[in-house]
C-alpha cells in the first residue's frame, strides 16, 4: 500500500502538471529521496507476497528414506532439515563432503534425528554419480523421496569430466543419470516421489539439439535457462513413463532465493544485494520442493510444474512432448543408457 501510494502521487503529479515546474521537480526529488525508505518499510509485505506458498502438510516420515542433492547449502539444506525433522533417514548428496558433514551435524543437533548421512556426489562426473548410486543401493533397501536440487548457474564456459557443457551436464544430465540409477529402488519403495528443481528462467530456454554442449555458441545466462527447461521436459517425460508404477515426478520453481547459486556472476550478486529485501530465504525457497515431496493426494498431478506450492504455467517449449521425448533419447545416448 505504501508503494502504491507513492506511485499514485508521482502519477498524479505528472498528469496534473503538463509543463515542468519547480514544484514538480521538488516532488520528484522528494520521492526519489524517500523511495529507499518506502521500499524498506514495504519490504516485509512484498517478501510475504512473493513467498505466499507454504507447505502445510503434517505428514511424518519415520521409516522413510530420502536423498537430497546439493544439501550442504541453501534450499537443499533447508529441504533436508525439514525431512529430517519429520523423522526421515536423509542422505545429503554433496560434492563438498566436509561442508556436508558440518551441515549434517547441525541438522542432527536441531532436529534430534541422528539419521542424517553424508555421501559424496559430484554431478559433473558420471563416475561419481555411478559410485554414489552403487554404494547407496548396497546400503539401503528403500528410497521414498529423491530431491534433485543441486545446480550451477551462469558459469563461464566449461565442461564436466565427461565433456558435457557444465549447465546441461550438472543440472540436467547428472540428475537424469542419478534418477535412472535409483529408479528401480524408487519403484520397489512405492509410493515414492521425485522432485526436480527447475526455475522460472526456463521460459527463456530452448533445447538446441545441434548445440547441446554450447560449442557453436554460448551465453552463460541462457545456458542456465536451457538446462532449467530440460529439467521440466525430463520431469514430464519421466512422469509419462512412470504411470502406474507408484512413482510420481514433479518439477518446481523455488522462487528468487538468497543462495550460493549466483556465486559465478558479479552482476547477479549485485542484483541480489540491491533487491535483498524482496528475495526469499532458503527456508522459504524450500517450501515448494517440500510441498511436492509430502502433500497427500498429489499423485493426480504427476508431471506438473509447481511454484509457491501451486500448479504453475510453463512455456510452450516446456509443453512440447516431441522435444521431451527426443531430449530423453539424446540424454540416454550421451550417458550410455540403453533406450527402451
Amino acid at each position: 500500500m505504501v508503494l502504491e501510494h507513492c506511485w499514485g502521487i508521482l502519477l498524479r503529479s505528472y498528469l496534473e502538471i503538463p509543463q515542468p515546474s519547480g514544484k514538480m521537480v521538488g516532488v520528484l526529488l522528494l520521492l526519489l529521496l524517500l523511495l529507499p525508505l518506502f521500499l524498506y518499510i514495504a519490504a516485509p509485505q512484498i517478501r510475504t507476497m512473493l513467498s505466499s506458498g507454504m507447505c502445510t502438510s503434517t505428514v511424518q516420515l519415520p521409516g522413510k528414506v530420502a536423498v537430497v542433492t546439493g544439501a550442504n547449502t541453501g534450499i537443499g539444506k533447508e529441504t533436508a532439515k525439514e525431512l529430517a525433522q519429520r523423522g526421515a533417514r536423509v542422505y545429503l548428496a554433496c560434492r563438498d563432503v566436509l561442508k556436508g558433514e558440518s551441515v549434517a551435524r547441525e541438522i542432527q543437533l536441531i532436529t534430534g534425528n541422528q539419521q542424517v548421512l553424508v555421501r559424496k556426489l559430484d554431478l559433473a562426473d558420471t563416475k561419481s554419480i555411478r559410485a554414489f548410486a552403487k554404494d547407496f543401493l548396497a546400503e539401503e533397501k528403500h528410497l521414498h523421496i529423491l530431491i534433485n536440487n543441486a545446480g550451477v548457474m551462469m558459469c563461464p564456459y566449461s565442461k564436466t569430466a565427461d565433456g558435457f557443457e557444465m549447465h546441461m551436464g550438472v543440472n540436467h544430465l547428472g540428475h537424469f543419470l542419478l534418477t535412472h540409477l535409483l529408479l528401480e529402488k524408487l519403484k520397489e519403495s512405492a509410493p515414492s516421489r521425485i522432485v526436480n528443481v527447475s526455475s522460472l528462467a526456463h521460459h527463456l530456454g530452448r533445447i538446441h539439439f545441434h548445440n547441446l554442449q554450447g560449442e557453436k555458441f554460448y551465453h552463460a545466462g541462457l545456458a542456465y535457462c536451457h538446462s532449467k527447461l530440460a529439467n521440466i521436459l525430463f520431469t514430464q517425460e519421466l512422469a509419462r513413463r512412470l504411470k502406474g508404477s507408484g512413482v510420481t515426478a514433479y518439477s518446481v520453481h523455488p522462487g528468487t532465493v538468497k543462495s550460493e547459486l549466483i556465486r559465478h556472476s558479479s552482476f547477479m550478486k549485485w542484483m541480489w544485494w540491491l533487491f535483498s529485501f524482496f528475495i526469499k530465504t532458503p527456508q522459504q525457497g524450500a517450501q515448494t520442493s517440500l510441498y511436492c515431496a509430502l502433500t497427500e493426494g498429489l499423485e493426480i498431478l504427476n508431471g506438473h510444474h509447481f511454484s509457491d506450492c501451486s500448479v504453475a504455467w510453463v512455456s510452450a517449449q516446456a509443453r512440447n512432448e516431441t522435444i521431451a521425448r527426443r531430449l530423453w533419447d539424446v540424454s540416454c545416448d550421451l550417458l550410455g543408457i540403453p533406450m527402451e
Side-chain angles (χ1 to χ4, degrees):
M1 293 300 293
V2 174
L3 285 176
E4 290 176 3
H5 180 64
C6 293
W7 288 117
I9 293 173
L10 180 60
L11 184 59
R12 285 194 298 273
S13 298
Y14 178 78
L15 293 175
E16 293 171 2
I17 306 175
Q19 299 296 326
S21 66
K23 181 179 179 181
M24 178 181 174
V25 172
V27 170
L28 290 174
L29 287 175
L30 180 62
L31 284 174
L32 288 174
L33 289 171
L34 293 178
L35 184 59
L37 176 61
F38 291 145
L39 290 175
Y40 179 81
I41 295 171
Q45 295 176 339
I46 296 174
R47 186 187 286 121
T48 299
M49 178 185 72
L50 294 176
S51 59
S52 57
M54 293 293 291
C55 176
T56 58
S57 170
T58 58
V59 167
Q60 296 300 304
L61 302 171
K64 303 296 184 181
V65 180
V67 170
V68 183
T69 69
N72 58 352
T73 187
I75 297 171
K77 174 183 174 181
E78 294 300 325
T79 302
K81 187 197 312 184
E82 182 61 29
L83 296 175
Q85 184 71 58
R86 294 169 184 255
R89 179 176 170 90
V90 183
Y91 283 80
L92 314 185
C94 312
R95 183 180 59 177
D96 188 336
V97 174
L98 289 178
K99 189 173 181 180
E101 289 175 344
S102 175
V103 168
R105 288 192 293 270
E106 178 185 336
I107 293 175
Q108 289 169 351
L109 184 64
I110 292 172
T111 66
N113 182 350
Q114 299 305 304
Q115 297 299 300
V116 182
L117 310 170
V118 181
R119 297 294 181 269
K120 171 80 173 181
L121 175 65
D122 184 354
L123 288 162
D125 186 346
T126 58
K127 289 182 179 178
S128 175
I129 299 169
R130 292 183 183 278
F132 170 87
K134 181 181 178 181
D135 292 344
F136 177 85
L137 294 174
E139 188 173 0
E140 286 292 341
K141 294 181 179 180
H142 302 286
L143 175 59
H144 304 94
I145 300 172
L146 172 60
I147 311 283
N148 289 323
N149 165 83
V152 294
M153 179 181 181
M154 297 187 72
C155 303
Y157 185 75
S158 56
K159 292 187 175 182
T160 68
D162 302 273
F164 307 136
E165 186 277 314
M166 190 61 70
H167 294 89
M168 193 61 69
V170 171
N171 297 353
H172 169 59
L173 292 171
H175 284 126
F176 187 101
L177 177 59
L178 178 65
T179 303
H180 167 74
L181 295 172
L182 299 179
L183 200 52
E184 287 305 312
K185 187 65 70 177
L186 285 158
K187 290 178 179 178
E188 293 170 6
S189 308
S192 53
R193 295 185 182 182
I194 301 165
V195 179
N196 296 320
V197 178
S198 180
S199 170
L200 184 67
H202 83 272
H203 285 280
L204 297 177
R206 296 291 183 273
I207 303 300
H208 299 292
F209 289 103
H210 66 289
N211 188 46
L212 210 57
Q213 308 309 332
E215 294 174 330
K216 296 182 179 179
F217 53 87
Y218 180 79
H219 184 282
L222 289 178
Y224 173 74
C225 299
H226 302 333
S227 70
K228 294 292 101 178
L229 172 60
N231 291 152
I232 296 179
L233 292 168
F234 168 47
T235 302
Q236 293 183 350
E237 181 62 12
L238 178 62
R240 186 185 71 81
R241 292 169 179 256
L242 289 174
K243 284 181 181 177
S245 69
V247 184
T248 51
Y250 313 89
S251 61
V252 305
H253 166 56
T256 305
V257 181
K258 184 177 182 181
S259 72
E260 295 180 7
L261 190 62
I262 59 171
R263 60 186 175 274
H264 295 292
S265 173
S266 298
F267 172 73
M268 294 303 291
K269 288 179 182 177
W270 181 80
M271 290 293 288
W272 258 235
W273 175 81
L274 184 64
F275 296 101
S276 59
F277 292 127
F278 314 128
I279 291 175
K280 288 184 180 182
T281 65
Q283 183 182 31
Q284 291 169 333
Q287 294 305 305
T288 305
S289 293
L290 291 166
Y291 177 86
C292 289
L294 301 172
T295 302
E296 295 177 299
L298 208 64
E299 290 78 8
I300 59 173
L301 296 175
N302 183 27
H304 280 67
H305 183 66
F306 289 78
S307 177
D308 281 328
C309 301
S310 299
V311 173
W313 181 78
V314 296
S315 68
Q317 280 265 320
R319 299 191 301 271
N320 191 313
E321 293 183 8
T322 301
I323 294 177
R325 294 180 186 187
R326 184 179 176 190
L327 180 62
W328 183 284
D329 290 343
V330 169
S331 299
C332 287
D333 183 59
L334 289 170
L335 293 165
I337 299 172
M339 282 185 255
E340 298 176 2

